[in-house]
Amino acid sequence: MTTQTPLTALQVMQDAPVIPVIVLNDVAHAVPMARALLAGGIRMLEVTLRTPQALACIEAIAREVPEAVVGAGTVRSRADAQAAANAGARFAVSPGYTSTVGQACRDVGLALLPGVATGGEIMAACEDGFTELKFFPAVQAGGVAMLKAWGGPFFDVRFCPTGGITLQNAPDFLALSNVVCVGGSWLVPVSTAEQGDWGRVTRLAGETAHLKS
């Protein structure tokens, strides 16, 4: 587990306009991917726990690319949170929210962006002290219109919409007052890792700079 100063979810969200959602199938790709994103100005890296290699990838990035801040995505249980922290992750992102996951992340020192898609889920997360949330799956669950509707009753909640976000529609989300950043997989296409085209990753990351208002 890291001994670095704990992050807050808001710090994770405010670092750049986009948090890349990364799926890695080969540990050898982890470090060059992280360095390519860093070169493009993206420091907060969400490596999803969707592959058997994910934890080893997190560990490699934490060890070899200390300038980056690596986090774990698809955190669904206390075991996931513990394993992510042990591998060197500094923040966690979950596809939904339970009090168990929230407390587990607190226990191991991970800043958490909990996933929500309904008003009830937002209220449950807020009751446990989480007011910076991931709206997922954003486009499928109502997109910009839903976030505008939530702006009234949940005026004190800030969101990172993820799911269906692209370079083209990201500005529509980022223009909303309750959106701090977005999550997107378009920065790290699977084909780029397979081809070792790290220059493309850097270019895609660099294109997000103009999204920041």
Side-chain angles (χ1 to χ4, degrees):
M1 198 175 352
T2 182
T3 57
Q4 294 171 288
T5 303
L7 292 171
T8 66
L10 187 58
Q11 286 174 322
V12 174
M13 295 168 75
Q14 289 179 328
D15 203 68
V18 183
I19 298 174
V21 180
I22 305 166
V23 180
L24 289 167
N25 294 295
D26 188 335
V27 178
H29 295 158
V31 168
M33 175 77 76
R35 287 177 174 155
L37 287 163
L38 266 178
I42 301 293
R43 195 169 65 110
M44 299 288 170
L45 313 181
E46 176 192 341
V47 177
T48 64
L49 302 184
R50 299 181 191 176
T51 68
Q53 298 80 16
L55 289 168
C57 290
I58 290 171
E59 188 172 4
I61 294 169
R63 182 179 63 248
E64 302 292 336
V65 195
E67 318 94 287
V69 180
V70 64
T74 323
V75 172
R76 298 169 48 194
S77 66
R78 180 173 290 278
D80 285 346
Q82 184 67 66
N86 289 346
R90 296 187 61 197
F91 67 93
V93 184
S94 61
Y97 179 70
T98 67
S99 292
T100 298
V101 167
Q103 188 57 52
C105 288
R106 283 197 170 111
D107 289 345
V108 298
L110 293 176
L112 174 64
L113 278 176
V116 298
T118 68
E121 292 168 348
I122 295 172
M123 290 171 66
C126 288
E127 282 182 2
D128 289 346
F130 296 97
T131 55
E132 284 78 39
L133 309 176
K134 165 186 167 179
F135 175 33
F136 177 80
V139 170
Q140 298 86 340
V144 168
M146 182 66 82
L147 285 161
K148 286 181 178 178
W150 281 342
F154 303 117
F155 60 89
D156 55 344
V157 177
R158 287 165 286 196
F159 296 94
C160 171
T162 305
I165 309 297
T166 65
L167 182 64
Q168 290 69 39
N169 66 17
D172 297 331
F173 287 91
L174 290 165
L176 301 176
S177 60
N178 57 350
V179 170
V180 180
C181 67
V182 299
S185 58
W186 84 84
L187 281 71
V188 285
V190 173
S191 60
T192 61
E194 294 172 347
Q195 297 162 10
D197 189 358
W198 308 121
R200 183 185 178 201
V201 173
T202 296
R203 289 193 298 274
L204 290 169
E207 286 174 356
T208 67
H210 78 277
L211 298 175
K212 207 162 201 173
S213 57

